[in-house]
Amino acid sequence: MKAKCGNFVDRGTYRKCPLFEDDLPEKSFAQIVEIKPGQIVGKHYHKTQYEIFYVIEGKAELGIGKSTYEATPGDIFLVKPKTVHWVSNNKKEPFRLFVVKLNYEGEDTVWL
């Protein structure tokens, strides 16, 4: 089954497009996330969910726990539950990620 990105949902500094809705196993979720140019997704964590990030396009600074990375296309990252993470896109182009959420139970985001 080929993914179709229907409509992006605007969340201010970023936008997201859910993929494979109703076709993934329970507590799983997949989406394309696009951090807008010059924007930051602030520090936050998730209570129960894991996130796997695959960088599709662009470059950005990605913080996971106490580590900071220069994320570039082809990079893959794992964020475990309760691990603080954030993204800063100081470029003039969008930063796009394919995101898979495991143990997903809806919005469990805690913003810091």
Side-chain angles (χ1 to χ4, degrees):
M1 170 183 304
K2 185 176 178 179
K4 277 184 152 182
C5 185
N7 295 318
F8 275 91
V9 177
D10 194 284
R11 303 292 287 243
T13 60
Y14 67 98
R15 33 185 234 147
K16 62 183 185 175
C17 181
L19 303 171
F20 304 115
E21 291 185 282
D22 302 320
D23 290 315
L24 295 175
E26 189 175 339
K27 295 189 176 185
S28 300
F29 188 78
Q31 63 186 354
I32 301 294
V33 174
E34 179 183 280
I35 314 304
K36 296 175 183 178
Q39 297 296 314
I40 294 171
V41 175
K43 291 183 178 183
H44 65 285
Y45 66 89
H46 303 283
K47 296 176 188 174
T48 61
Q49 70 186 348
Y50 289 78
E51 289 185 307
I52 299 169
F53 300 154
Y54 174 77
V55 180
I56 298 171
E57 180 181 352
K59 294 181 181 179
E61 189 173 72
L62 173 63
I64 301 174
K66 294 180 180 180
S67 298
T68 303
Y69 305 93
E70 180 68 26
T72 59
D75 289 347
I76 301 172
F77 299 93
L78 173 65
V79 181
K80 295 181 180 181
K82 299 180 182 166
T83 302
V84 174
H85 55 288
W86 52 271
V87 181
S88 177
N89 179 8
N90 61 4
K91 307 292 188 224
K92 294 182 181 180
E93 300 82 30
F95 177 65
R96 287 191 182 175
L97 304 162
F98 173 60
V99 178
V100 176
K101 296 174 177 269
L102 304 171
N103 204 32
Y104 178 73
E105 295 183 6
E107 278 301 321
D108 75 341
T109 305
V110 177
W111 294 95
L112 304 173

